Amino acid sequence: MAAPIDITISDVTGRWSLNRGLSDSLESCFALQGIPWIIRKVINFASLELQYVKDAPSDATAPPSFAFKQTVRPGGFDTINKYIIDGDKRTDSVPIFGEITMHAKYLDRDEVTPEQTLGAVIQGDSTKDVAILEVVESENMGWRAETLWVFETINEEHRFCKYNTITKDGQRETAKLVHDYIGPPN
C-alpha cells in the first residue's frame, strides 16, 4: 500500500512491510555479507515488518532519532534499535551479523548521487534533507553496506524505498527495497 503523501523522509513514523513484488532480491547482497545459504533462503521467503517512531527531541540541540523495531517471520532475526541521525558512528550487535558499526545522516538533494539511487529519481521538490544515508560496517566480516532511504513515486504511488549497496573485497552488490505502508506504529 502507498504511504500517505504527508509522510516524508524527515519523519518515517509508521509500520512498513517489504513488498517483494516491487523489490529486488537480497540474495546476492546477503551472500557477499557471508550469510549462510540456508539462512538466506529463510530470509528471502520471510515477511519483514519495520516500525519507526520519531523520538521527541530532548532539547533544541538534540539530533533527530527514530526508535526502530524489525520483525522477521519466520526466522527469529528480530531487532530493536535506535537510529540517531547525526552522522556519528556507533557500535551495536544484531542477531544476523554480530558486531557492527553504523551511522546515519540526512543528505541534501545535491549530495545524493545517481549511483546511490541506482538511477531512480527522488520524490519531491525539496532540496534539504531529502534522504537518509545509513552506513553499516562489519569489521569481522569485511563488508560495508550503504543504504539510502528515500521516497519515490512508483506506479503513481508514494513509496518508501531503500537502495542498498554492499561492498566487500572489491565486489559490489545492489538491491532496491520497496516498502508498503501498513499503518501507524503499535
Side-chain angles (χ1 to χ4, degrees), residues 49-158:
E49 184 178 311
L50 309 174
Q51 177 172 280
Y52 296 95
V53 177
K54 189 169 188 177
D55 297 322
S58 55
D59 62 57
T61 62
S65 62
F66 294 91
F68 168 73
K69 179 181 179 185
Q70 173 180 281
T71 306
V72 181
R73 292 182 200 101
F77 304 109
D78 299 353
T79 304
I80 295 176
N81 211 325
K82 182 175 289 284
Y83 282 97
I84 303 172
I85 317 297
D86 62 2
D88 291 346
K89 285 188 176 182
R90 292 171 176 81
T91 302
D92 200 359
S93 183
V94 294
I96 196 167
F97 297 122
E99 187 172 298
I100 57 166
T101 58
M102 69 90 55
H103 63 278
K105 65 179 183 175
Y106 283 109
L107 295 182
D108 294 340
R109 187 172 297 279
D110 63 354
E111 296 175 293
V112 177
T113 67
E115 184 179 63
Q116 289 171 311
T117 63
L118 309 180
V121 177
I122 297 174
Q123 187 173 357
D125 299 324
S126 177
T127 58
K128 266 194 92 45
D129 296 346
V130 298
I132 294 175
L133 176 63
E134 171 191 355
V135 179
V136 179
E137 296 176 275
S138 172
E139 188 174 315
N140 294 339
M141 300 295 287
W143 54 261
R144 174 184 171 94
E146 287 193 13
T147 302
L148 191 73
W149 306 12
V150 299
F151 278 90
E152 179 185 332
T153 301
I154 299 174
N155 300 328
E156 300 181 19
E157 294 181 323
H158 183 61

